[in-house]
């Protein structure tokens, strides 16, 4: 819709005075001498390259190699390459830069489980966990571009796994921990993951969820080579020799990956499937440069 048509619509909700100035986009606008969202809209429409450069600088994207061009349209407007020539890694952006900037002792994660258990990790502690997990993934054969399925509840290991996968240039494929075997199976089958990360089980509203059993049924016959299991519920589960491994044991003995692999700006880091409620699930690709900007 054209900007001039907006005033013809009935107002359904209006933000309180001062909310624009206090918002992230308001903060960015002030740096560039803009005072209203309409001014940002116009300038971004007239000069998209300005907008994306300003946005990347505002959210503090750290480049491991500076980009050559904001938007390369040499293959046609339908195939844009944003931040062409630039290299970065989402894991480096999310964790390492804070440690390097002297905030290693700041709290990165505060987690509270359904059972009341509470854990917190500083950026330095998170970096150590991510480095170890990345090493464990390396040692079981995960390499750049490989999809890794994640079926975990909201526990700290889910965060560590996502960042560790990105760190070595692999592709995280997170799946809802409440999925049944069919939903998990169609996503694993589609992405071709050979490695899965899950847990023995967990409790949701005091109900025991035997998630490992569900994953076992879901991946049967799909050629998954390794399943890393996080100890969460402490319940007895079937262990399949040659495939199942305990997450903590693999991570503890692994050689840490201390530097994130520099990835192209448009290299994928997450494959996130839609719900599939209107048909087959669609895999939405998030890139190393796109993800920080979206968040």
């Amino acid at each position: 819709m054209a900007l001039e048509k907006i005033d013809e619509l009935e107002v359904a909700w209006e933000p309180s005075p001062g909310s624009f100035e206090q918002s992230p986009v308001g903060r960015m606008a002030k740096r560039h001498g803009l005072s209203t969202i309409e001014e940002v809209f116009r300038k971004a429409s007239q000069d998209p390259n300005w907008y994306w450069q300003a946005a990347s600088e505002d959210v503090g994207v750290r480049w491991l190699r500076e980009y050559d061009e904001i938007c390369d349209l040499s293959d046609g407007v339908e195939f844009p390459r944003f931040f062409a020539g630039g290299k970065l890694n989402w894991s480096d952006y999310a964790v390492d830069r804070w440690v390097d900037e002297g905030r290693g002792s700041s709290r990165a994660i505060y987690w509270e489980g359904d059972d009341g258990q509470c854990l917190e990790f500083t950026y330095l502690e998170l970096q150590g966990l991510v480095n170890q997990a990345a090493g464990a993934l390396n040692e079981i054969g995960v390499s750049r571009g490989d999809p890794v399925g994640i079926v975990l509840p909201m526990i700290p290991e889910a965060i560590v796994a996502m960042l560790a996968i990105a760190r070595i240039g692999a592709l995280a494929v997170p799946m809802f921990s409440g999925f049944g075997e069919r939903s998990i199976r169609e996503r694993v089958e589609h992405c071709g993951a050979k490695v899965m990360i899950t847990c023995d089980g967990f409790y949701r509203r005091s109900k025991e969820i035997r998630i490992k059993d569900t994953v076992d049924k879901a991946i049967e016959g799909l050629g998954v080579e390794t399943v890393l299991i996080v100890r969460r519920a402490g319940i007895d589960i079937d262990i399949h020799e040659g495939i199942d491994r305990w997450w903590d044991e693999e991570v503890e003995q692994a050689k840490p990956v201390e530097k994130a692999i520099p990835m192209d700006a448009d290299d994928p880091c997450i494959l996130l499937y839609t719900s599939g409620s209107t048909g087959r699930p669609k895999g939405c690709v998030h890139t190393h440069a796109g993800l920080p900007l979206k968040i």
Side-chain angles (χ1 to χ4, degrees), residues 18-268:
S19 59
F20 172 74
E21 292 82 358
Q22 297 167 12
S23 70
V25 70
R27 176 192 63 207
M28 185 187 81
K30 184 177 180 180
R31 291 177 178 175
H32 294 270
L34 306 173
S35 57
T36 67
I37 190 64
E38 289 79 13
E39 290 178 33
V40 176
F41 183 91
R42 290 191 185 93
K43 187 169 179 60
S45 298
Q46 295 162 2
D47 188 358
N49 284 354
W50 164 81
Y51 176 79
W52 289 112
Q53 180 175 9
S56 66
E57 290 173 354
D58 187 68
V59 302
V61 172
R62 180 162 85 164
W63 298 97
L64 301 178
R65 180 194 183 279
E66 194 67 31
Y67 53 84
D68 301 318
E69 190 175 358
I70 295 287
C71 185
D72 177 7
L73 298 177
S74 58
D75 293 331
V77 293
E78 67 271 39
F79 300 110
R81 293 180 60 235
F82 284 93
F83 304 108
K87 290 189 179 292
L88 74 165
N89 190 295
W90 176 56
S91 179
D92 173 82
Y93 164 80
V95 182
D96 295 5
R97 71 163 180 147
W98 300 114
V99 176
D100 294 345
E101 291 175 12
R103 294 182 60 184
S105 60
S106 297
R107 186 169 69 186
I109 295 173
Y110 177 80
W111 173 82
E112 183 175 343
D114 284 358
D115 57 1
Q117 181 186 12
C118 297
L119 294 171
E120 63 178 79
F121 303 91
T122 65
Y123 279 103
L124 188 60
E125 290 169 335
L126 178 60
Q127 184 184 54
L129 293 170
V130 171
N131 293 356
Q132 288 290 136
L137 292 168
N138 263 345
E139 290 176 18
I140 63 174
V142 178
S143 58
R144 181 170 178 157
D146 290 344
V148 179
I150 303 174
V151 189
L152 287 172
M154 296 296 286
I155 56 177
E157 287 84 356
I159 299 171
V160 172
M162 293 282 286
L163 291 166
I165 291 166
R167 195 167 196 79
I168 60 174
L171 183 61
V173 188
M175 304 174 212
F176 175 44
S177 59
F179 274 158
E181 57 188 86
R182 178 181 174 183
S183 296
I184 296 172
R185 185 177 186 85
E186 58 187 348
R187 287 161 174 78
V188 175
E189 193 170 25
H190 184 265
C191 74
K194 300 298 181 185
V195 173
M196 298 289 294
I197 303 173
T198 188
C199 65
D200 52 358
F202 62 98
Y203 292 91
R204 178 176 287 149
R205 296 177 183 174
S206 301
K207 181 182 178 182
E208 183 182 272
I209 310 295
R210 299 186 62 84
I211 193 170
K212 173 61 165 53
D213 293 349
T214 302
V215 170
D216 283 346
K217 294 173 184 174
I219 65 174
E220 187 174 357
L222 294 185
V224 173
E225 297 169 0
T226 305
V227 177
L228 293 172
I229 311 161
V230 176
R231 302 179 201 264
R232 172 65 185 137
I235 58 178
D236 290 332
I237 56 172
D238 292 334
I239 297 295
H240 299 92
E241 200 67 35
I243 296 179
D244 292 344
R245 307 187 189 193
W246 291 107
W247 165 272
D248 59 320
E249 294 175 1
E250 297 297 319
V251 168
E252 185 178 350
Q253 64 189 11
K255 180 181 178 181
V257 177
E258 296 182 351
K259 294 291 183 182
I261 294 177
M263 304 294 290
D264 290 340
D266 56 3
D267 276 337

